[in-house]
Amino acid sequence: NAGVTQTPKFRVLKTGQSMTLLCAQDMNHEYMYWYRQDPGMGLRLIHYSVGEGTTAKGEVPDGYNVSRLKKQNFLLGLESAAPSQTSVYFCASRRLPDSTYGYTFGSGTRLTVV
Amino acid sequence: GQQLNQSPQSMFIQEGEDVSMNCTSSSIFNTWLWYKQEPGEGPVLLIALYKAGELTSNGRLTAQFGITRKDSFLNISASIPSDVGIYFCAGQADSWGKLQFGAGTQVVVTP
């Protein structure tokens, strides 16, 4: 099925470990986004990309890096995980910023840092 | 960054009742979106609003884009058990598609 696929779905990291979250979309969307969701809060934008080879910072970028080497993939990296990065991470894509149908979200990655 | 205030935080209602929730912002948005999120899933778009004053329906859902461009509301009529979930408002103010989300309204429907 067409859509946004996130891997892994769950992960537990120790403080200081690194990992990469993968987001893949098969809809040929130009724009891709990484959000985090914490209890009692709305989603907050970490980084985003407006096309292959481009990335930009969102509202809460510290401690994260991203890459968009291929149009269909948007990777989110944690170089040295901290407990404050325990969260649910959502990737989303959009054909254009003013697309009528808004974002298509993945089902999320639940990350726990101990 | 911009702040979205979404209320109420939660609602416990009986099946058949109507539900209303709203979002207000200190800044102007050019697009308002309403999403629903169910456990273990990402948000799913319910309604998108693009013009101040716009009133849009999607089945039992109705949403409006406030005249001031700083607020929006969502109504759910005749609630059913499958309406259970967390409803989020989101505003877009720029040309890059970045969204600012409210904290969500948790809706619980009892038979």
Side-chain angles (χ1 to χ4, degrees):
Chain A
N1 292 334
V4 177
T5 302
Q6 292 183 233
T7 53
K9 294 190 182 301
F10 303 93
R11 185 73 185 269
V12 178
L13 285 181
K14 293 183 178 179
T15 298
Q17 286 186 319
S18 63
M19 78 164 294
T20 300
L21 281 67
L22 171 63
C23 177
Q25 54 95 2
D26 58 4
M27 298 170 285
N28 201 35
H29 285 177
E30 291 292 335
Y31 293 72
M32 296 187 75
Y33 309 82
W34 276 107
Y35 286 84
R36 61 176 288 173
Q37 184 177 31
D38 300 301
M41 300 181 70
L43 282 71
R44 292 182 293 166
L45 182 64
I46 305 171
H47 285 281
Y48 65 104
S49 168
V50 301
E52 181 178 315
T54 74
T55 63
K57 294 180 180 180
E59 181 185 356
V60 288
D62 294 343
Y64 305 96
N65 57 76
V66 288
S67 64
R68 183 111 181 259
L69 300 180
K70 295 183 179 180
K71 185 177 184 178
Q72 63 268 34
N73 296 335
F74 194 28
L75 278 62
L76 177 71
L78 286 73
E79 293 183 346
S80 180
S84 61
Q85 293 177 306
T86 294
S87 187
V88 181
Y89 292 86
F90 287 99
C91 175
S93 71
R94 203 172 193 182
R95 188 176 69 87
L96 293 172
D98 60 349
S99 173
T100 299
Y101 298 101
Y103 286 13
T104 299
F105 279 92
S107 58
T109 295
R110 185 174 295 275
L111 175 66
T112 302
V113 182
V114 298
Chain B
Q2 297 169 336
Q3 296 295 315
L4 283 188
N5 297 309
Q6 184 172 351
S7 64
Q9 186 174 4
S10 60
M11 302 186 72
F12 293 82
I13 59 174
Q14 286 194 318
E15 186 175 355
E17 289 184 340
D18 296 345
V19 175
S20 291
M21 61 194 78
N22 68 81
C23 274
T24 59
S25 170
S26 57
S27 302
I28 290 173
F29 289 114
N30 55 38
T31 301
W32 280 96
L33 304 168
W34 284 92
Y35 286 88
K36 179 186 179 185
Q37 185 179 29
E38 298 186 11
E41 298 295 329
V44 174
L45 183 66
L46 298 174
I47 291 180
L49 303 159
Y50 299 99
K51 295 194 312 184
E54 179 181 355
L55 184 71
T56 297
S57 293
N58 178 9
R60 293 179 295 105
L61 278 61
T62 301
Q64 185 160 29
F65 192 144
I67 292 292
T68 65
R69 304 177 78 179
K70 294 182 178 182
D71 63 305
S72 177
F73 73 76
L74 174 71
N75 287 341
I76 306 172
S77 63
S79 60
I80 59 178
S82 62
D83 290 333
V84 167
I86 302 177
Y87 292 78
F88 290 97
C89 62
Q92 177 179 330
D94 66 14
S95 59
W96 302 115
K98 297 182 293 182
L99 297 183
Q100 188 78 19
F101 282 82
T105 295
Q106 181 157 20
V107 173
V108 177
V109 180
T110 57

